């Protein structure tokens, strides 16, 4: 079983992704709606993958990505964004993001397939 953390300020997205991804029993999902309160957990290295929203109040996803990668450079992180500006994507690439998912999601299966690709399954 793979441990995945999802960080997004939208509770509906957290709930939807958690329910969908846990349905087969392949993934254990922890969700965080307040990234500033989850920093130490996300830096711990206990997650096989972190799905991280870029646009959040208080603590921006790009800043959080940097904090995670500073403590655990090999941590796999997929950024989620509704605003995929080239500048932000390049910034995340430079920090070490593994991939991107655009919101709204085309389908939850696409999200799942992206995750499976990251795990090389």
């Amino acid at each position: 079983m793979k441990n995945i953390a999802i960080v997004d300020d939208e509770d509906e997205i957290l709930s939807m992704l958690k329910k969908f991804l846990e349905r087969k029993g392949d993934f254990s999902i922890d969700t965080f709606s307040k990234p500033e309160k989850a920093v130490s957990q996300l830096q711990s290295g206990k997650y096989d993958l972190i799905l991280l929203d870029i646009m959040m109040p208080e603590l921006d996803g790009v800043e959080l990505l940097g904090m995670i990668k500073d403590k655990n450079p090999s941590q796999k992180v997929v950024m989620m964004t509704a605003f995929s500006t080239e500048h932000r994507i390049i910034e995340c690439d430079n920090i070490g993001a593994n991939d991107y998912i655009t919101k709204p999601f085309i389908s939850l299966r696409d999200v799942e397939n992206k995750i499976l690709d990251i795990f090389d399954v």
Side-chain angles (χ1 to χ4, degrees), residues 2 12-13 17 22 33 51 68 70 90 94 107 113 115:
K2 299 285 188 185
E12 297 145 12
I13 288 178
L17 285 172
E22 284 185 337
S33 61
L51 300 180
I68 292 166
D70 280 347
I90 290 169
N94 290 337
S107 84
N113 289 335
I115 291 168

Side-chain angles (χ1 to χ4, degrees), residues 77-88:
V77 180
V78 173
M79 304 304 289
M80 301 185 296
T81 182
F83 307 102
S84 57
T85 65
E86 188 175 344
H87 167 74
R88 299 294 272 187

Side-chain angles (χ1 to χ4, degrees), residues 1 11 21 52 72 76 82 89-91 101 112 117 121:
M1 178 169 304
D11 288 331
L21 294 172
L52 180 57
N72 187 3
K76 291 179 168 62
I89 290 172
I90 290 169
E91 190 176 6
I101 298 171
E112 184 178 43
D117 286 347
V121 176

